[in-house]
Each structure stands twice: as C-alpha cells, then as structure tokens.
Amino acid sequence: MALTVTLVSAEAEVWHGEASLVVAKTVEGEIGFMAGHEPVLAILAEGQVRVTQSNGEKIVATAEDGFLSMENDELTIVAGNAALQS
C-alpha cells in the first residue's frame, strides 16, 4: 500500500506521485508518514521534505510557509515556497 503525495507551492505543483515514506519538518519537529497513518494537519517549518517513492527512489524538496494534511493515505503539502533539490 502506498501514499498519494502532492507537493505544491504558491506558483505550481512541484511533485505528485506515490510514496512508501515521506518525512517533513513541522513547527513541532519532523514527522514521518506511511500508508495507514492517522489524519494530521500541521504547520510546515522551513526545511526538507524527503520522499521515498514506491520504487525506492528518493526525492528531496525544500518547503516553507505552509501546511500539510494527511488523510486516507493522501498527503498534501502546500507551501508558499517549495522546490525540488537536485
């Protein structure tokens, strides 16, 4: 089972896909998400969003000024500023 992840900035969608694990930084600290995680609504802190895709590949993005929402195996991260790191 996988998470459906959407990462958007104020300008555009940054990344969308399936993941087995996502770790993001919130004002309360880092939090990790896997399929079956309980619903969460949290405020983003400036930092990395680390995504392990279902095929094992890793994606790293920076994000700040926003929030994340987890419900029914769908994680949405909305940030004022977000970009993929190379």
Side-chain angles (χ1 to χ4, degrees):
M1 191 179 246
L3 294 173
T4 300
V5 181
T6 304
L7 172 60
V8 297
S9 72
E11 292 83 35
E13 183 175 271
V14 175
W15 189 81
H16 177 82
E18 288 193 348
S20 58
L21 174 67
V22 177
V23 178
K25 188 172 180 185
T26 72
V27 295
E28 306 258 332
E30 281 196 336
I31 186 169
F33 296 96
M34 297 176 79
H37 197 287
E38 65 184 41
V40 173
L41 181 61
I43 299 170
L44 282 177
E46 181 178 349
Q48 290 185 335
V49 176
R50 298 185 307 275
V51 178
T52 302
Q53 297 181 76
S54 297
N55 63 8
E57 290 184 39
K58 298 189 188 287
I59 302 271
V60 178
T62 56
E64 63 180 327
D65 298 328
F67 68 93
L68 60 81
S69 172
M70 171 71 179
E71 188 170 10
N72 298 324
D73 291 336
E74 291 187 16
L75 177 63
T76 303
I77 302 169
V78 179
N81 298 305
L84 293 177
Q85 292 184 325
S86 11

